[in-house]
């Protein structure tokens, strides 16, 4: 008698904690790749705004996820720094950044990781291969700014000059990262035009250019075709900066790659499996093409 064995898929349950995350593409990227890898992959959105919660509720939410058997959590704004004390161990990069976007539950042991910096670095290596990293100018010293400045230094930059409307925040970034990067000189920028005159490239790490914050983060006349330009904003994928930089003749990296590759690394941490990055990139592109 012929019998058909039932296929039991490995079940995995993860989630994302943050505020205003209803439009996040991360759950769809994870679940689709999970299907391709033969997993029964569930990804929940835990939106503070929807639940009328605040960052102060984060410890309870992490405890609940662990108790419910989650494999891990992604963490986003405004919880990345607040989540650090809630884990038992930090990866070396998370220790440097004092910010985590991924928690992996291993039994009763919690490990905090930061995949944002790696996502930016991997996207940069693919999209701007071969560019000089001698002198880099960066706009933005917030949480994302710290991650991408760390990535730029990890990739071999000789100097990174940080510009931010909040001088104290720029100084804090320099003080935080300089001890971890002896081969790279971090400094607080004061003359943007002068810095760009001698720079090899520009990294943009502020919210300017997002749908809710349209516009340019600098005077477009400061752009030159000898600069490369790396953007981290991906809603929309063609920000005004990306558009103007391309028109100027710059080599340009949009923010989509960072969004995908931070998810690639988080998926690997959650599952122990290496996902297909190109497939995830294609899926991300198809998700972006869908009407809101």
């Amino acid at each position: 008698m012929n019998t058909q064995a039932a296929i039991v898929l490995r079940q995995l349950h993860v989630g994302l904690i943050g505020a205003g995350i209803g439009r996040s593409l991360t759950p769809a990227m994870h679940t689709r790749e999970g299907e391709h890898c033969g997993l029964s992959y569930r990804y929940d959105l835990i939106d503070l705004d929807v639940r009328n919660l605040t960052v102060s509720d984060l410890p309870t939410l992490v405890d609940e996820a662990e108790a419910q058997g989650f494999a891990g959590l992604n963490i986003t704004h405004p919880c990345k720094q607040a989540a650090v004390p809630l884990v038992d161990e930090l990866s070396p990069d998370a220790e440097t950044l004092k910010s985590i976007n991924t928690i992996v539950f291993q039994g009763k042991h919690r490990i905090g990781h930061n995949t944002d910096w790696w996502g930016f670095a991997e996207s940069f290596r693919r999209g701007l291969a071969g560019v000089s990293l001698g002198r880099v100018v960066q706009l933005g010293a917030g949480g994302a700014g710290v991650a991408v400045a760390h990535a730029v230094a990890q990739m071999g930059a000789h100097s990174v000059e940080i510009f931010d409307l909040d001088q104290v925040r720029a100084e804090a970034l320099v003080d935080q990262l300089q001890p971890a990067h002896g081969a790279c000189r971090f400094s607080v920028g004061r003359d943007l035009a002068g810095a760009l005159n001698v720079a090899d490239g520009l990294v943009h790490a502020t919210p300017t250019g997002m749908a809710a914050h349209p516009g340019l983060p600098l005077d477009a006349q400061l752009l030159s075709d000898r600069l490369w330009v790396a953007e981290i904003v991906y809603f929309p994928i063609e920000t005004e900066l990306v558009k103007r930089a391309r028109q100027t003749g710059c080599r340009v990296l949009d923010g989509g790659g960072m969004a995908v590759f931070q998810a690639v690394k988080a998926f690997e941490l959650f599952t122990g499996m290496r996902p297909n990055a190109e497939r995830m990139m294609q899926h991300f592109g198809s998700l972006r093409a869908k009407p809101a």
Side-chain angles (χ1 to χ4, degrees):
M1 184 175 69
N2 292 331
T3 60
Q4 186 175 22
I7 298 175
V8 179
L9 298 179
R10 175 187 166 196
Q11 295 185 344
L12 206 77
H13 190 182
V14 300
L16 170 65
I17 299 178
I21 54 177
R23 295 184 64 195
S24 174
L25 302 182
T26 299
M29 284 193 286
H30 274 257
T31 54
R32 173 68 65 83
E33 189 60 22
E35 291 172 5
H36 283 295
C37 293
L39 301 172
S40 175
Y41 200 108
R42 176 178 166 184
Y43 195 115
D44 293 347
L45 283 181
I46 305 168
D47 194 323
L48 300 182
D49 291 348
V50 171
R51 299 192 183 193
N52 293 315
L53 302 175
T54 68
V55 176
S56 65
D57 296 296
L58 183 61
T60 299
L61 293 174
V62 174
D63 287 347
E64 288 175 352
E66 184 177 46
Q68 291 169 20
F70 280 51
L73 290 165
N74 280 139
I75 307 292
T76 191
H77 178 78
C79 301
K80 292 182 182 182
Q81 287 77 35
V84 170
L86 305 180
V87 301
D88 303 301
E89 178 186 347
L90 292 172
S91 70
D93 293 291
E95 183 70 55
T96 297
L97 295 171
K98 308 300 185 207
S99 171
I100 59 176
N101 74 331
T102 304
I103 297 174
V104 176
F105 297 124
Q106 293 186 351
K108 292 296 182 180
H109 192 69
R110 301 173 180 178
I111 305 174
H113 300 266
N114 187 301
T115 71
D116 287 331
W117 81 269
W118 186 88
F120 179 82
E122 191 64 18
S123 176
F124 193 101
R125 292 186 189 104
R126 293 172 179 238
L128 289 175
V131 300
S132 174
L133 282 165
R135 293 184 175 185
V136 177
V137 169
Q138 178 172 309
L139 306 180
V146 177
V148 297
H150 175 66
V152 169
Q154 289 282 66
M155 290 187 288
H158 297 163
S159 72
V160 181
E161 195 166 356
I162 306 294
F163 289 82
D164 195 280
L165 295 176
D166 185 339
Q167 194 85 349
V168 172
R169 189 163 65 171
E171 291 169 355
L173 184 153
V174 171
D175 291 343
Q176 179 179 346
L177 293 185
Q178 189 62 77
H181 296 287
C184 178
R185 178 179 177 271
F186 288 91
S187 62
V188 177
R190 290 175 174 81
D191 175 11
L192 182 57
L196 288 174
N197 258 347
V198 294
D200 296 298
L202 171 69
V203 175
H204 176 235
T206 84
T208 304
M210 294 175 64
H213 304 279
L216 275 169
L218 78 171
D219 185 340
Q221 293 184 355
L222 297 179
L223 297 172
S224 162
D225 62 5
R226 58 178 185 72
L227 291 170
W228 52 260
V229 174
E231 172 72 276
I232 71 164
V233 174
Y234 68 94
F235 267 129
I237 200 71
E238 184 176 64
T239 62
E240 190 65 20
L241 176 60
V242 165
K243 179 181 177 181
R244 294 292 190 94
R246 285 187 174 135
Q247 289 173 347
T248 303
C250 304
R251 285 189 64 181
V252 178
L253 181 71
D254 65 45
M258 179 180 179
V260 173
F261 284 106
Q262 64 80 23
V264 167
K265 179 58 71 174
F267 183 96
E268 186 175 338
L269 290 168
F270 290 148
T271 66
M273 304 170 72
R274 180 164 294 181
N276 185 315
E278 282 67 34
R279 183 166 60 207
M280 290 181 74
M281 283 286 287
Q282 291 174 2
H283 185 214
F284 175 80
S286 70
L287 290 169
R288 278 184 35 250
K290 291 179 181 179

